Amino acid sequence: MEIDYLRCVDMQFCMDWKRVNFDWNRARAFLVTAEEGSLSAASRALGMTQPTLGRQVSALEQELGVVLFERVGRGLQLTESGLELVEHVRGMGEAATRMSLTASGQSQSIEGTVRITASEVGATFTLPPLAVKFRSIEPGIRLEIVSSNEVQDLRRREADIAIRSVAPKDPSLIARKLRDGRAELFAAKTYISRLGGFNDASALANADFIGFDDNGTYLHALQAAGVPITQANFPISSDTHIVQWECVKAGAGVGVMASEVGDSEPLVTRAAPWLEPFSYGVWLVSHRELRTNRRLRLVFDWLADEMTSAKV
C-alpha cells in the first residue's frame, strides 16, 4: 500500500498505465491533421507521406473505437468525438513541446540546426548574405531559413529564432529590438518617366499601385499620409511580397519596399521622396528556454550584433 502511494502523483490520483491504450505518434498525427485541416497539409507539416499519416489516424480511430474525422469537400472536419478528444491531445502536444524545449535548453552542443524565420523580404534580401558570413565562421551549424509573412509559433518549435517587425507579447518569449526600419514607395524608372513623375500626393492618384490580397491596412496608411487613392488604384495584387516587388521592377506600378532594398535596386527609384517613410521596428525573438542552448544563443547573439551594426 505504501509503494502504491509513493507512485501516485498526489493523494487523489494514481496513474493506471494499463488504461493508456493508444500510440502517441498516432495521437500526434490526429492533432496535426485537426489543426491543419487536411491530410495533405498535415503530412507536409510532419514530413511524412500522406498514406502513412492516413494509416496512423485510422489506426488511432480503431484503437479508441471512435470516428475522429468526416470528409467535407477536400478537407476534413472533426466529428463530435474528435472535438471532444482533440483538446486532450492538444494538452499532450503542449506538454511534449515543453519537454522538448526544456531538453533543448540544456543542450551545450554547438553543431546542429538552427531554424530562423523572417518575412519574405527579410528571408530574401537580409538573411542570405548573413548566412554566408555566419557559415564561414561556424561551419558546424546548419541554418534553415523559413520565409513567411505569417508569425511562426516559437513555442511549438515552428522556428528557433524569428526576425519580426513587431514586439512579441508572449511572456515566454524574449526579444531584442535591433533598430528601426523604414519602407517607402518605389517604382521602375521607366514607369515614372512614362507618367511624368509624381511631384505631390495628388499626382499619385493617377498611378497604378501593386497591392496585397487584402489592401485594407496598406490603403488606409496611404490615405492617412494624404495620398488620395482608392481600391481602384490596385490593378495587380499578390499575397507574396517578392512577386509584388518583381511587378514593380517590371514597370507595372508603384509598390512599397524596405528602403535599403529599394535603394539598392538599379531598376527602380523612390516614387515619392517627399512622402514620410513608413516606420517599423526590427526585433530578434527566441523562446526563453532556448536561450540557454549554447548553439542557439551563439546564433541569436551573432545575428543581433550583425543586424544592429549593419544597415540590413
Side-chain angles (χ1 to χ4, degrees), residues 154-215:
L154 300 183
R155 295 173 305 171
R156 295 193 177 187
R157 301 302 299 275
E158 292 179 350
D160 299 314
I161 297 172
I163 301 172
R164 293 179 177 172
S165 59
V166 292
K169 297 181 180 179
D170 191 326
S172 68
L173 301 178
I174 59 172
R176 185 185 302 181
K177 186 176 182 180
L178 305 181
R179 61 183 177 86
D180 289 317
R182 301 191 315 169
E184 297 178 71
L185 298 180
F186 289 90
K189 296 174 182 177
T190 54
Y191 182 78
I192 292 179
S193 176
R194 189 164 71 245
L195 269 70
F198 309 108
N199 296 322
D200 53 32
S202 61
L204 280 174
N206 299 318
D208 288 333
F209 281 74
I210 311 302
F212 300 83
D213 275 1
D214 182 359
N215 283 319

Side-chain angles (χ1 to χ4, degrees), residues 20 40 76 79 81 91 107 111 149 182 190 221 237 249 273:
V20 181
S40 58
L76 295 175
T79 62
S81 296
S107 173
E111 294 187 353
N149 289 334
R182 301 191 315 169
T190 54
S237 63
K249 289 164 58 179

Side-chain angles (χ1 to χ4, degrees), residues 269-312:
T269 189
R270 297 183 185 185
W274 40 264
L275 189 67
E276 187 71 21
F278 303 103
S279 61
Y280 58 92
V282 179
W283 297 81
L284 198 62
V285 187
S286 182
H287 195 283
R288 187 175 299 278
E289 293 183 53
L290 288 181
R291 291 285 281 125
T292 61
N293 178 299
R294 187 181 174 192
R295 177 174 65 254
L296 300 185
R297 186 169 67 248
L298 189 155
V299 176
F300 186 99
D301 291 342
W302 187 88
L303 282 174
D305 290 341
E306 288 292 313
M307 295 182 66
T308 300
S309 60
K311 189 177 180 181
V312 294

